[in-house]
Amino acid sequence: RYRANRIALNQQTRVERKRMHDIRLSPAGQQEAGRRMHRYESMSSAHRQILAFDPAGTGRAAEVFGDLDRAERISVVVPGVDTDLLTFQRTNRKYTAPVGMAESLYAAEREADPPTRTAVIAWADYTTPNGLGIDSATAMRAQSGAVRLNALVRGLPGGSPVSLFCHSYGSVLCGLAAPALPERVADIAVAGSPGMRVAKASQLGTSARVWAMRDADDWVQDVPYLEVGGLGHGEDPVSSAFGARVLSAWDAKGHAGYFEPGTESVANFAEIGVGAYHAVRCAHDAEACRAGLSDTASAGRA
C-alpha cells in the first residue's frame, strides 16, 4: 500500500505541475494546483507511510506512524470538519491537522510506555463537512465516513487492540460507526464533541470503553446538544447523563488544541492508547471514570 500510494502521489505531482502552467485555468486555479503539487511532493517522501490516498474532489488520505504490522496497540485519529488533502498537515498550527495530531499522539504514547510497540494512524479518508454549515449539523458525511472507518479497522493487520480518538465532527462519525466496530476496538475517546447521535453511551452498541473530554475554553460547549429533525447530534458526551468516562483536558488549547504536546489531554489519550488506564487523569468523578478498569499494556507484553 505504501509503495502503491507513493507511485500515485508521484503521478499526481506531475499532473498538478502541468496544471500550474495551464493557461485555461484562472490564476487562482493555477495557485491551487501549485499547493497540491507541493503537498503531493511532501507526502511522497520515502520516509512517509501513506496508507490511503485519493486526489478526487478535495481529496482523502491516511498516514501511519510506527510499524503497523508489529504494533501491540494501534491508535486511529479521526478528525472533524474542513479536513482535506491541503489541510491534512500544516506548518503553522501543526497540531490542529491530522498529521500533527497523530505525530503528537505517537510521541506521547512512546513516552508513556516505551516497551509497548505502538502505531498511530492519521485517518482523513472520508469527505468531511465544509465549515460549520448544514453539512456539519447533520450526519450525512459521518454516515458515509463510518462505513469507511469500519473498513479500515477490519482491514488492519493482526489482532492487537485498537483505540479511536475522535475530534469534533469526527466523534459524530465514531458514534455512528460504533455498533459495527469489531471487538478489537477497545476504546472510543472523543474530544470537543458536538454529540455522538445517541442519548447515552450505552446506546452506542459497542463493547469499547467510551471516553470524553472538553476544554473549558472550547466553543463547542455552546452548541445545542439535541437532535431534532436530523439536525444536531444528541446529548453532550461529557454530561453525567451521557455516561462516558470523563477525562481532564487541562491546558488544552481550545477546540483545536487537544493534541498539543505537553497538554493533559494528549497525555490522557496516550495512556489510553497504550492501555495504561490506571494513569488517566479524570475530570471530576474519578471513581466513575476508572470503574472496572484494568491495565492491558503490561498484560499484552506478558
Side-chain angles (χ1 to χ4, degrees), residues 56-166:
T58 57
R60 300 192 299 259
E63 182 171 2
V64 176
F65 297 87
D67 188 337
L68 201 54
D69 284 319
R70 299 176 64 245
E72 296 170 289
R73 303 278 306 195
I74 298 173
S75 298
V76 183
V77 175
V78 182
V81 301
D82 291 330
T83 301
D84 55 35
L85 278 171
L86 292 178
T87 59
F88 185 53
Q89 64 187 79
R90 291 191 174 103
T91 301
N92 298 320
R93 301 176 67 236
K94 174 179 178 178
Y95 302 107
T96 67
V99 169
M101 292 176 178
E103 281 185 313
S104 176
L105 179 58
Y106 182 56
E109 288 182 353
R110 296 183 72 184
E111 181 179 351
D113 189 0
T116 296
R117 294 191 301 271
T118 62
V120 179
I121 303 173
W123 187 80
D125 196 21
Y126 80 107
T127 302
T128 70
N130 182 18
L132 299 177
I134 191 69
D135 270 1
S136 64
T138 68
M140 181 180 68
R141 300 290 190 188
Q143 286 170 339
S144 58
V147 175
R148 299 184 68 85
L149 179 61
N150 266 296
L152 167 84
V153 175
R154 292 183 181 278
L156 291 174
S160 54
V162 175
S163 298
L164 306 181
F165 298 94
C166 318

Side-chain angles (χ1 to χ4, degrees), residues 14 17 22 53 87 103 108 110-111 117 148 180 182 205 211 242 251 253 256 269 274 281 286 291:
R14 291 191 290 271
R17 185 176 290 117
D22 189 338
F53 169 65
T87 59
E103 281 185 313
R110 296 183 72 184
E111 181 179 351
R117 294 191 301 271
R148 299 184 68 85
W211 310 82
F242 189 77
D251 205 30
K253 312 298 182 185
F269 281 164
V274 299
R281 276 74 97 196

Side-chain angles (χ1 to χ4, degrees), residues 34-288:
R35 292 179 65 200
R36 282 189 168 236
M37 184 201 73
H38 290 302
R39 176 53 39 82
Y40 298 157
E41 280 185 330
S42 172
M43 291 175 66
S44 61
S45 297
H47 71 280
R48 297 187 67 170
Q49 302 179 130
I50 304 300
L51 186 66
F53 169 65
D54 184 351
T58 57
R60 300 192 299 259
E63 182 171 2
V64 176
F65 297 87
D67 188 337
L68 201 54
D69 284 319
R70 299 176 64 245
E72 296 170 289
R73 303 278 306 195
I74 298 173
S75 298
V76 183
V77 175
V78 182
V81 301
D82 291 330
T83 301
D84 55 35
L85 278 171
L86 292 178
T87 59
F88 185 53
Q89 64 187 79
R90 291 191 174 103
T91 301
N92 298 320
R93 301 176 67 236
K94 174 179 178 178
Y95 302 107
T96 67
V99 169
M101 292 176 178
E103 281 185 313
S104 176
L105 179 58
Y106 182 56
E109 288 182 353
R110 296 183 72 184
E111 181 179 351
D113 189 0
T116 296
R117 294 191 301 271
T118 62
V120 179
I121 303 173
W123 187 80
D125 196 21
Y126 80 107
T127 302
T128 70
N130 182 18
L132 299 177
I134 191 69
D135 270 1
S136 64
T138 68
M140 181 180 68
R141 300 290 190 188
Q143 286 170 339
S144 58
V147 175
R148 299 184 68 85
L149 179 61
N150 266 296
L152 167 84
V153 175
R154 292 183 181 278
L156 291 174
S160 54
V162 175
S163 298
L164 306 181
F165 298 94
C166 318
H167 176 243
S168 193
Y169 187 83
S171 66
V172 182
L173 187 160
C174 288
L176 291 174
L181 290 170
E183 289 188 3
R184 69 182 295 188
V185 175
D187 305 280
I188 302 173
V190 303
S193 173
M196 299 183 75
R197 305 295 292 187
V198 292
K200 296 180 181 295
S202 59
Q203 296 172 347
L204 288 170
T206 177
S207 59
R209 288 168 285 267
V210 181
W211 310 82
M213 67 168 68
R214 187 175 65 218
D215 179 57
D217 296 326
D218 191 335
W219 57 260
V220 82
Q221 64 190 307
D222 298 323
V223 306
Y225 282 97
L226 46 82
E227 191 275 321
V228 178
L231 295 176
H233 302 300
E235 183 61 75
D236 181 355
V238 301
S239 70
S240 57
F242 189 77
R245 302 173 187 271
V246 183
L247 298 164
S248 171
W250 185 82
D251 205 30
K253 312 298 182 185
H255 183 67
Y258 291 97
F259 291 85
E260 284 282 340
T263 57
E264 196 159 79
S265 49
V266 79
N268 269 330
F269 281 164
E271 302 292 6
I272 292 169
V274 299
Y277 301 116
H278 73 284
V280 298
R281 276 74 97 196
C282 302
H284 305 297
D285 188 347
E287 185 176 345

